[in-house]
Amino acid sequence: MRALVTNDDGVFSDGIALLTRIAVEAGLDVVVAAPHEERSGASASLTGMGSDSRLAVTTRSIDGLADVPVYAVKASPALIAFVATRGAFGDPPDLVLSGINHGPNTGSAVLHSGTVGAALTASTHGVVAMAASLATTNPTHWDTAELVVRDAVRWTMENGRPDSVLNVNIPDVPLHELEGVAAAPLAEFGAVQAEIGDRGEGFVTVRFDEIVAESDDDSDAGLIGRKWATVTSLRAPSAVDVDLAALTRTISSR
C-alpha cells in the first residue's frame, strides 16, 4: 500500500517524523508532503495555489529515513491531500495518515482541525484515511503515542473504509499510566471557547480559553482527561434527510 503522510504542524514537526517511521515499519510505501510551516486550524481549506496555478514545493528529509521522499509544500493540509490523490507527489496514495498532531482534536474542534481536514478530504476522494493527535501542545510522552498509533495504523490498513475517517487522540501521559484505548463519541464542545471582549473602531478583542472536560464525561475529551486514548469514526459532510417540502417549489418558465 502507498501512503501519504501529512499534518498541519508543518513538515519539521516531531509528530510527523514519528508517524512516518511508524508507517515505514508497517511496510507502507511512504511519501511525506506537509505544509512548509504550521497551518493549525486550516480545517479543509484548499489554499496555497499561486496565481499561476503552481504549488511551491521544496524537497526536505527526515532523520533516519533517507529513503522516504519528503516535500515541504506552501499549502493547506487539505489541499496537499487533495492534489496527492491526483498524483502530485507520485502515484496516488491508497492511504492518508495525518498527524501526529501537537494538541487534541476532540469534540466539535474537529471541524476546524487541519489534521482532520486533510483526512476528511482524502476520504471524500475515495482514499482510506486516519488522523492522530497527542492531547497537548508540547508533547513529551512520544512512546505512549507510538504504541497507540502503531496499532491504529495497522487497524486502518486492514479495516479502514474510504467512507469514514479514524480519529485517534492520545493523552500525553507515561505509558504505564495509560488506561487503554476506548471508542468514544465526540464531545459537545471544542478544545477551547471564545470570549468576546472590547469592541472598538476597526477591531474586536477575542480571547480563547481552554475547556476542561468533566471527569465523568464519557466523550473523547472526558476519557482523555482520565488517561484513556480514544478512537472515533468520522464521516465527511453529507446530506441529511429533512422534510424540505415547504421550502421547495417549481418555477415555471416565463
Side-chain angles (χ1 to χ4, degrees):
M1 297 178 69
R2 181 164 174 81
L4 168 73
V5 176
T6 191
N7 71 354
D8 71 2
D9 289 316
V11 72
F12 299 108
S13 77
D14 293 333
I16 201 169
L18 176 56
L19 182 55
T20 302
R21 181 164 61 81
I22 291 171
V24 169
E25 291 174 354
L28 293 166
D29 175 21
V30 178
V31 59
V32 176
H36 74 295
E37 61 184 5
E38 184 176 350
R39 294 295 298 267
S40 296
S43 188
S45 66
L46 299 178
T47 56
M49 299 289 287
S51 58
D52 55 0
S53 299
R54 293 184 178 184
L55 280 179
V57 179
T58 305
T59 302
R60 292 288 185 260
S61 63
I62 294 176
D63 290 345
L65 297 170
D67 295 333
V68 176
V70 179
Y71 302 102
V73 188
K74 291 186 177 181
S76 64
L79 181 56
I80 291 170
F82 177 82
V83 299
T85 67
R86 300 298 190 267
F89 309 108
D91 292 337
D94 306 295
L95 177 67
V96 168
L97 304 174
S98 188
I100 300 170
N101 191 62
H102 295 211
N105 278 311
T106 57
S108 60
V110 299
L111 175 66
H112 310 292
S113 167
T115 299
V116 176
L120 287 173
T121 299
S123 175
T124 63
H125 293 277
V127 179
V128 174
M130 185 195 94
S133 306
L134 247 176
T136 180
T137 55
N138 295 295
T140 55
H141 300 290
W142 289 106
D143 55 337
T144 304
E146 181 174 3
L147 176 71
V148 176
V149 173
R150 182 184 293 114
D151 287 346
V153 167
R154 289 172 178 163
W155 184 94
T156 303
M157 291 170 62
E158 297 172 0
N159 303 286
R161 297 166 31 171
D163 62 349
S164 62
V165 166
L166 182 68
N167 187 42
V168 183
N169 281 278
I170 307 112
D172 188 39
V173 298
L175 188 55
H176 69 273
E177 293 184 13
L178 182 68
E179 295 288 348
V181 180
L186 293 175
E188 295 182 357
F189 51 84
V192 296
Q193 64 180 357
E195 296 289 341
I196 305 301
D198 297 333
R199 295 176 176 86
E201 183 66 30
F203 76 91
V204 176
T205 302
V206 182
R207 186 184 75 244
F208 291 97
D209 297 320
E210 184 177 356
I211 297 176
V212 179
E214 296 293 336
S215 61
D216 60 351
D217 182 359
D218 286 333
S219 69
D220 53 0
L223 286 167
I224 288 170
R226 303 202 301 275
K227 301 181 181 180
W228 286 83
T230 64
V231 289
T232 307
S233 184
L234 307 177
R235 179 172 292 173
S238 59
V240 177
D241 187 12
V242 175
D243 184 3
L244 300 175
L247 181 62
T248 62
R249 64 189 176 96
T250 301
I251 299 178
S252 59
S253 57
R254 299 179 181 180

